[in-house]
Amino acid sequence: MTDPAAPSARFGLDAVDTGLEASLAAELAGVEELLRASVKSDYPFVTEASSHLVDAGGKRFRPLLVLLAAHLGDPGAQGVRESAVVVELTHLATLYHDDVMDEAPLRRGTASANARWDNTVAILTGDFLFAKSSQLLADLGPEAVRIQSHTFERLCTGQIRETVGPSSGEDPVEHHLAVLADKTGSLIATSGRFGAMFSGAGDTVVDVMTRFGERIGVAFQLADDLLDIASDSDLSGKTPGTDLREGVRTLPVLLALRSEDPADARLVSLLGGPLPDDAEHAEALALLRAHPAMAEAAAVAHRWAAEARAALAPLDPGPVRDALEALCDSVVDRTS
């Protein structure tokens, strides 16, 4: 399980101010404590199922962004820690549902909930976590509820748009990036927004952190999709090529499908749909790993990270801005 007290090790923030790192470590420990308390139920099996992915670890990227943004105001203000748990519970709930839709056997290096139990348990556990997130959210006030409701709408819209696919005449790459902005960017944007808002950092900072969060969120997901292809399960904690097997077209796949080079004909044929056959899946994975589409997709991820960095321009120089800028590099250069 990931050590909640080591934000620099987890996110490559080697140059982060030592005082800021110590504060973040203590605050993340507090978030972890509240997170674990929040997933408990009067029924032991519900607690076991809802704690499954919490116990498996994870980077806690969204809570970290809440806490970093809060250091632009008062990080000890009421609502900061609670909102960090709200966004992590929401994220965890979506993972339970995603693994059902993807039929994923692994999550965070351990059996997914649907593999350990079944789809019904996984879906209901995700719903339970959404409920627990809402309980915390209700105490944060109507503005927080409104923001979270809009975020949840975007999460669902992004998932639906991904499932349905681009409309006739719509560019598949642009459609995909819009899906990522909804599915991933929206909740990470809300993480930055909550941290700035509850810390009393001011409207300008709230706007900056919201814009930063969405852009770094898209970069984060683009990098995650590259890792799904390039990494092995020991590094990523997930089965390599899960999206590829299910026929989910992430950016490297969409870019490879544009190729008209006869040498890519076999890869394009394999990428035309799901790949349940192990041999064909392995072949497609090997061909895609060697294809220029991987470098092209990585360049797109770096462009989104650069846009996130540019969004920070209105912030005063200092340790928090330095850490946020370092995130722009670490999210796209990570190996797990």
Side-chain angles (χ1 to χ4, degrees), residues 199-289:
S199 70
D203 290 344
T204 298
V205 175
V206 170
D207 289 344
V208 166
M209 290 309 304
T210 304
R211 291 197 303 274
F212 171 84
E214 179 139 345
R215 286 152 182 78
I216 202 69
V218 174
F220 184 95
Q221 188 60 57
L222 287 168
D224 221 41
D225 292 341
L226 283 162
L227 284 171
D228 180 64
I229 297 166
S231 295
D232 60 41
S233 58
D234 289 338
L235 289 174
S236 67
K238 297 184 288 186
T239 303
T242 297
D243 289 331
L244 200 63
R245 186 179 293 278
E246 298 302 318
V248 176
R249 294 182 173 181
T250 56
L251 185 59
V253 171
L254 291 170
L255 295 173
L257 284 170
R258 286 180 166 181
S259 176
E260 296 181 357
D261 186 339
D264 292 332
R266 175 58 178 167
L267 175 59
V268 170
S269 174
L270 288 167
L271 297 179
L275 292 166
D277 180 78
D278 288 344
E280 290 190 340
H281 176 262
E283 182 185 2
L285 196 59
L287 289 171
L288 188 56
R289 283 171 171 171

Side-chain angles (χ1 to χ4, degrees), residues 112 161 247 298 333:
S112 61
R161 290 191 67 196
D333 293 331

Side-chain angles (χ1 to χ4, degrees), residues 118-138:
D118 57 32
N119 285 348
T120 300
V121 168
I123 291 168
L124 291 173
T125 302
D127 293 345
F128 175 80
L129 294 178
F130 281 129
K132 300 298 280 188
S133 175
S134 297
Q135 287 177 9
L136 278 175
L137 188 68

Side-chain angles (χ1 to χ4, degrees), residues 35-60:
L35 177 64
R36 291 179 177 279
S38 298
V39 300
K40 289 182 178 178
S41 166
D42 293 336
Y43 299 96
F45 178 76
V46 176
T47 299
E48 180 186 2
S50 63
S51 300
H52 181 61
L53 289 185
V54 176
D55 291 341
K59 292 182 174 61
R60 307 291 190 252

Side-chain angles (χ1 to χ4, degrees), residues 12 34 94 131 147 166 207 235:
L34 181 57
T94 65
I147 292 167
D207 289 344
L235 289 174

Side-chain angles (χ1 to χ4, degrees), residues 139-161:
D139 293 330
L140 297 180
E143 177 65 6
V145 172
R146 185 189 66 79
I147 292 167
Q148 179 73 352
S149 297
H150 179 62
T151 304
F152 194 46
E153 176 190 352
R154 290 190 64 191
L155 289 170
C156 295
T157 299
Q159 186 62 65
I160 292 168
R161 290 191 67 196

